[in-house]
Amino acid sequence: MVKKEWSIRTLDREELPGFQPYLLPDTARSLERREKDVLALGLVLGHNACAAAAARLSGESAELTDLFVDEIVRHRGMGGLLLERLMERLAAEGVSRLSASYVLRGEELAAMDRLMVSCGFSAPWRRSRVFRTHSEGFHQDPRLGAAFSPQYRTPQDVCALSEAPQKAMEELRRGEDIPDYLAPEAFQGRALPELCVAMVRDGRVTAYLLSGEDGAGGIVLLAAVRREGAPSTAFQTLLLELLNRCWYRLGRDFAFYFSVLDDKVERLALLLMGERYEDYEEHSCARLLSCQDGGENEEVSS
């Protein structure tokens, strides 16, 4: 029997087209722009791309952003192999800690948990409950349907977070009322600036939503914060703005994931969705890395 050769490649702008189906849109854009804080590896069987993994570096830490294996090669240890090679490369780059967060359900979630533990990560813990819904079900909704209408207009006190006044952003960064895990900086690399919206009143950012894309063309609400001075309707107002931006960005209906990191947002999400959702979970884990070398184009056999 002839063995099929596998190769693990360092991905860059030139390698991107073959591996794009296995990478998040933000990771693909980073590779396209040749950004130095993203390390991505791809797995090739024969002449065909079949998996990819990527991490975003920040000093001595990194976050696993992508790990996807094509169905045709699953259950052969390829995910673990790719992750191990990625960790070796990160350690060689001086990274000492790799964290990971992933949103799945059922057996897929259990399989990912097993993979992470087998690769030396800490026991995964549930970071948040996640609700998956679809924009199609909200076109006629009396509270959110306006987001899909050509007549929708952005309220005067709402803007992209990146367009908020500098003084308002400085006050936000100094704010002691925002937990570290909900701060915009905690979602660097996962949130898209054009999908992060804020309410600004009296020179302060009183509420904001942070959002990004998933790997299948959907939108993920990563965090929602309402501060003192925000009206009780702030979440709904910002959600309307976000849905409208997503609608025109994608030009079609889309899957929408609510990642709820506190009880207040969970209650609001359930109120707005009614029965129109599926339950997912976001799990997180981490591993300390030791310094070791890793090969850029290692050849292995099946």
Side-chain angles (χ1 to χ4, degrees):
M1 180 177 177
V2 178
K3 291 184 176 181
K4 295 181 179 179
E5 293 299 320
W6 305 84
S7 63
I8 294 178
R9 302 179 181 176
T10 302
L11 302 186
D12 55 20
R13 186 174 183 177
E14 286 66 39
E15 294 273 11
L16 180 58
F19 292 92
Q20 199 151 358
Y22 308 117
L23 295 168
L24 289 173
D26 189 58
T27 303
R29 282 190 289 269
S30 294
L31 293 176
E32 180 69 31
R33 294 191 291 259
R34 303 184 190 275
E35 294 178 1
K36 301 297 185 181
D37 62 344
V38 171
L39 174 63
L41 302 182
L43 184 67
V44 175
L45 169 59
H47 298 289
N48 299 313
C50 59
R56 189 170 293 272
L57 289 69
S58 178
E60 296 183 359
S61 298
E63 180 183 11
L64 181 69
T65 55
D66 307 61
L67 180 60
F68 188 85
V69 178
D70 198 291
E71 290 183 3
I72 63 171
V73 294
R74 288 180 186 172
H75 311 298
R76 301 186 192 179
M78 293 299 103
L81 173 64
L82 195 55
L83 182 54
E84 290 286 356
R85 296 299 179 268
L86 181 66
M87 290 190 291
E88 290 176 6
R89 287 291 307 280
L90 290 169
E93 294 284 340
V95 174
S96 59
R97 184 179 187 274
L98 177 64
S99 60
S101 293
Y102 42 90
V103 176
L104 294 165
R105 67 187 302 210
E107 178 52 33
E108 287 188 338
L109 179 63
M112 180 63 83
D113 286 345
R114 290 194 295 269
L115 172 63
M116 303 309 285
V117 171
S118 72
C119 288
F121 283 75
S122 59
W125 56 279
R126 191 176 89 162
R127 185 169 186 262
S128 71
R129 186 180 180 187
V130 177
F131 304 113
R132 182 187 187 276
T133 186
H134 203 276
S135 67
E136 187 177 21
F138 293 94
H139 283 235
Q140 305 304 318
D141 186 273
R143 289 166 295 196
L144 298 177
F148 307 97
S149 168
Q151 283 72 48
Y152 174 83
R153 295 292 180 271
T154 300
Q156 287 188 343
D157 57 357
V158 172
C159 64
L161 184 61
S162 59
E163 297 171 358
Q166 183 177 349
K167 287 186 177 180
M169 291 303 298
E170 291 173 355
E171 188 278 333
L172 179 65
R173 295 187 188 99
R174 295 194 305 268
E176 298 181 354
D177 58 324
I178 302 173
D180 290 343
Y181 68 89
L182 289 177
E185 293 77 16
F187 297 89
Q188 188 174 2
R190 298 176 65 194
L192 290 176
E194 57 268 37
L195 297 183
C196 297
V197 294
M199 178 175 288
V200 181
R201 291 191 167 190
D202 299 324
R204 295 178 67 250
V205 175
T206 57
Y208 61 82
L209 303 182
L210 306 176
S211 304
E213 294 176 306
D214 76 342
I219 304 296
V220 182
L221 176 62
L222 299 166
V225 171
R226 181 163 70 92
R227 307 174 69 201
E228 184 179 356
S232 59
T233 56
F235 180 79
Q236 183 176 332
T237 299
L238 290 179
L239 187 57
L240 277 165
E241 175 68 16
L242 174 59
L243 291 173
N244 181 259
R245 286 171 178 252
C246 296
W247 175 247
Y248 283 101
R249 174 185 174 86
L250 299 173
R252 56 170 172 77
D253 279 304
F254 49 90
F256 192 85
Y257 296 83
F258 286 85
S259 182
V260 293
L261 297 171
D262 61 52
D263 293 340
K264 184 182 297 184
V265 174
E266 180 171 326
R267 290 194 297 270
L268 287 169
L270 287 170
L271 176 64
L272 292 170
M273 290 185 301
E275 300 297 322
R276 296 167 290 195
Y277 70 88
E278 295 175 296
D279 246 323
Y280 282 69
E281 291 184 23
E282 179 180 14
H283 283 193
S284 295
C285 55
R287 178 188 153 160
L288 298 179
L289 305 181
S290 59
C291 293
Q292 52 186 301
D293 294 329
E296 287 197 9
N297 293 291
E298 181 171 349
E299 299 291 334
V300 295
S301 299
S302 61

